[in-house]
Amino acid sequence: MKVTIIGCSGSFPGPDSPSSCYLVEAEGFRLLLDFGNGSLGVLQRHIGLYDVDAICLSHLHADHCLDMCAYHVARTYGPAAPYAKVPVHAPADAPRRLAAAYGMPEEPGLETAFDFVPLAPGPFEVGPFTVVAGQVNHPVEAYGFRVTHGGRSLAYSGDTGESAEVVRLSAGADLMLCESSFLDQPELPTDLHLSGRQAAEHAAKAGVGRLVLTHLVPWNDQQRILDDACRGGYGGPIDLARSGAVYDLA
Ligand SMILES: [Zn+2]
Ligand SMILES: [Zn+2]
């Protein structure tokens, strides 16, 4: 399983990265975790425009799903259209919300390009991957994911405050992509986002092999996010996410 960070900028795109989007590949199958604003452009540096086989959306905040609208254009009106519909595992409200974002009626909405499957907590199969979704602590319906293939696992927190479910989803994972939106300080808001320290505490409890701090908000000093994470009691390697970074879990 190969993981490529397409976008790791938190809440809005930054100068060096789009918003959230991660490409997970195995056996020639290409799965996207989130499809935030700006990510469709950078994605084309790594795979062909029509090479996406499935998409999982953690939640429906713009920085995690808005390029679904752009990709709908590519798959509906491209030169060899109609293209095969891409399965999209997303919160149940996704068809209505994305149609509204695009500015089209709910029928047919974006369903000329996508087959929407409502997310619920638990496991499901996507191509060669087993995906487990778990509900995390954010102001809207939001999921974290564990993606497993060939005995290797990737955990992705999505957007979340402190969450026992993130620890459960990540238990023993080879790689954990954990959001680190906040600079660490006393009295952080609950059920919203994590600091680097909190991300590392989750990684330590889960016993993951490597922690990648992501959803990095451009207004923060990212070195401080990394320094905060180094105080979280996690003994394994810690990286700041970077658009274009590749992790080969094979
Ligand atoms: Zn976000
Ligand atoms: Zn969010």
Side-chain angles (χ1 to χ4, degrees), residues 11 59 63-64 159 215:
S11 303
H59 66 299
D63 60 312
H64 296 259
D159 281 9
H215 202 271

Coordinates of all heavy atoms in Angstrom, one line a residue, residues 11 59 63-64 159 215, ligand 1:
S11 N -8.0 23.6 6.9 CA -9.1 24.5 6.8 C -9.2 25.4 5.5 O -10.3 25.8 5.1 CB -9.1 25.5 8.0 OG -9.2 24.7 9.2
H59 N -15.9 14.1 6.1 CA -17.0 15.0 6.5 C -17.2 16.0 5.4 O -16.5 16.1 4.4 CB -16.8 15.6 7.9 CG -15.7 16.5 8.1 ND1 -14.4 16.2 7.8 CD2 -15.7 17.8 8.4 CE1 -13.6 17.2 8.1 NE2 -14.4 18.3 8.5
D63 N -13.2 22.2 3.1 CA -11.8 21.9 2.9 C -11.6 20.4 2.8 O -10.4 19.9 2.7 CB -10.9 22.5 4.0 CG -11.3 22.0 5.4 OD1 -12.5 22.0 5.8 OD2 -10.4 21.7 6.2
H64 N -12.6 19.6 2.9 CA -12.5 18.1 2.7 C -13.3 17.6 1.5 O -13.1 16.4 1.2 CB -13.0 17.4 4.0 CG -12.1 17.8 5.2 ND1 -11.1 16.9 5.6 CD2 -12.0 18.9 5.9 CE1 -10.4 17.6 6.6 NE2 -11.0 18.8 6.8
D159 N -11.0 15.3 10.8 CA -11.0 16.4 11.7 C -11.7 16.0 13.0 O -12.8 15.5 13.0 CB -11.8 17.6 11.1 CG -11.1 18.4 10.1 OD1 -10.0 18.0 9.7 OD2 -11.6 19.5 9.7
H215 N -3.4 18.4 8.4 CA -4.3 19.4 8.5 C -3.7 20.6 9.2 O -4.1 21.2 10.2 CB -5.5 18.9 9.3 CG -6.8 19.7 9.2 ND1 -7.1 20.8 9.9 CD2 -7.8 19.6 8.3 CE1 -8.3 21.3 9.6 NE2 -8.7 20.6 8.6
Ligands
ZN1 ZN -10.8 20.6 8.0

